[in-house]
Amino acid sequence: MNLPAHRHVVVIVGAGAGGLTVASLLKQARPDLDIALIDPAEYHCYQPAWTLVGAGEFRPEATRRPMAAVIPRGVSWLQARVTAFEPEHQVVVLEDGRRIGYRFLVTALGLQLDWDRIEGLTDTLGANGVCSNYRYDLAPYTWQTLQRLPRDAQALFTQPPMPIKCAGAPQKILYMAADHCRRRGQAVHAHFFTPGPAMFGVPFYAKALDRVVADYGITPHFGHRLIAVDGPARQATFEVTTDGNTAQQTHPFDLLHVVPPQSAPDVIKRSALADDSGWVSVDRHSLRHSRFDTVFGLGDCTTTPNSKTAAAVRAQAPVLVANLLRQLDGRGTERRYDGYASCPLTTSKGRIMLAEFAYDGAITPSFPLDPRVPRRSYWWLKKYYLPHLYWRMVGGHLGPDWHRARRFPEPLPAFVP
Ligand code: FAD
């Protein structure tokens, strides 16, 4: 066996929301801890604001900072890509062949956007009205396309099969686009295509979203999966599943907002860290690997059945750090992650339904108000306060956590989107 060139007490792979937050919290708790953070990226992005960029409500440049500026002080940043994991040797391998050893590994690589799995998509992304808020360089084109929509335009918004990061993002831009056109008195035919059977995975919120869809006159298409795009001809092809039978359907478009299929990073899929689904296999409460005691994972790359969001990272990071330090010291109480995630659903350019939930569909809002009601206050929270909270979080300042299980009457309250 090749011996590692370096060995650190903690190696964190991925300096995204999860990796940075864990590195910062560990450094706060143990200033002398030897931590290496591995990530090839030049910039760290605040991805949740890309939804607002696509609606002309946020400057793209304000969503990213140079990586060098956000790496916590005292943490060694290895600017490189990990190409293999060898958990049985407690080693990760970098693209230049370097072998980095660890006592504890934290996997925080996020997920992989599989643009190529939709035929013709990469040839036309960013042109011919084909846009996506799922990339820094593409989100501004969503707003450009929206502003140039002709009268009676066909505007299509797609969602791929789950799991994806921020399950609400495919429909956030749908509502803001519909609201934009309505304010301008512009007729538009807005369609939402999803392989699923409902607007949202948590029924409590799905019913409220049905009302938003009806209010805008949006046509939902359930059981539809985008499989091909012809940009120059402005045609999108869907595989349609009805009662177990599949067929193909083609729709013309003036705007096509695509959310790409998503999966675990290939480097994880081919490693011993993955289970059959390809994601890093961790216990859903302790965030420790199901087979390798010295490995932890958080964020989008793991098997935990929560909604993949930065809000989930906010709840996971302190649990992971406590459990890792407990193992390092050989004492302490194990902490448990409850599956919390949040999805601020922009039901218009001015109001948000702040969907917060945990494992098994528990409704866990931060505030004692019915979370199905879109509110102006939450819009300001999303646009101004959450970005601030995010940059503080990756710096190790977690801010308040008020979420808890609360009960609300079944009937939908009155509201406007
Ligand atoms: P990321 O933050 O994606 O970071 C992964 C890091 O791993 C990257 O820096 C990458 O360079 C690095 N990496 C990848 N491969 C390797 C490798 N082989 N070697 C080394 N490093 C590697 N969340 C919310 O909470 N609220 C929202 O409203 C919201 N809206 C969203 C809207 C959009 C359009 C998008 C795209 C996301 C949204 N999210 C939202 C989701 C949120 O951004 C993610 O869930 C969060 O960033 C996950 O953190 P992470 O650390 O797991 O992954």
Side-chain angles (χ1 to χ4, degrees), residues 155-160 162 164 167-175 189-200 209-210 213 217-225 238 251 257 259 345:
L156 316 187
F157 298 82
T158 73
Q159 176 173 303
M162 293 292 147
I164 64 169
Q171 58 191 290
K172 293 178 189 176
I173 187 62
L174 162 75
Y175 305 135
H189 304 280
H191 299 260
F192 185 67
F193 296 86
T194 169
M199 288 305 291
F200 204 67
L209 292 166
D210 287 344
V213 164
I218 293 164
T219 311
H221 301 261
F222 300 112
H224 282 59
R225 184 171 67 88
F238 296 86
H251 286 260
H257 181 266
V259 175
L345 292 152

Side-chain angles (χ1 to χ4, degrees), residues 13-19 38-41 43-51 67 80-83 108-111 133-135 165-166 169 172 265 267 298-301 308-313 342-344 382 390:
V13 182
I38 309 178
D39 197 311
Y43 291 94
H44 175 97
C45 289
Y46 175 53
Q47 302 168 46
W50 292 348
T51 299
M67 189 63 93
R81 179 169 297 280
V82 167
T83 51
L109 289 82
L111 54 67
N133 288 345
Y134 271 66
R135 236 169 57 190
K165 54 178 154 186
C166 194
K172 293 178 189 176
V267 64
L298 84 165
D300 295 349
C301 69
K308 296 184 183 299
T309 55
V313 164
S342 158
C343 195
K382 161 93 183 159
Y390 180 87

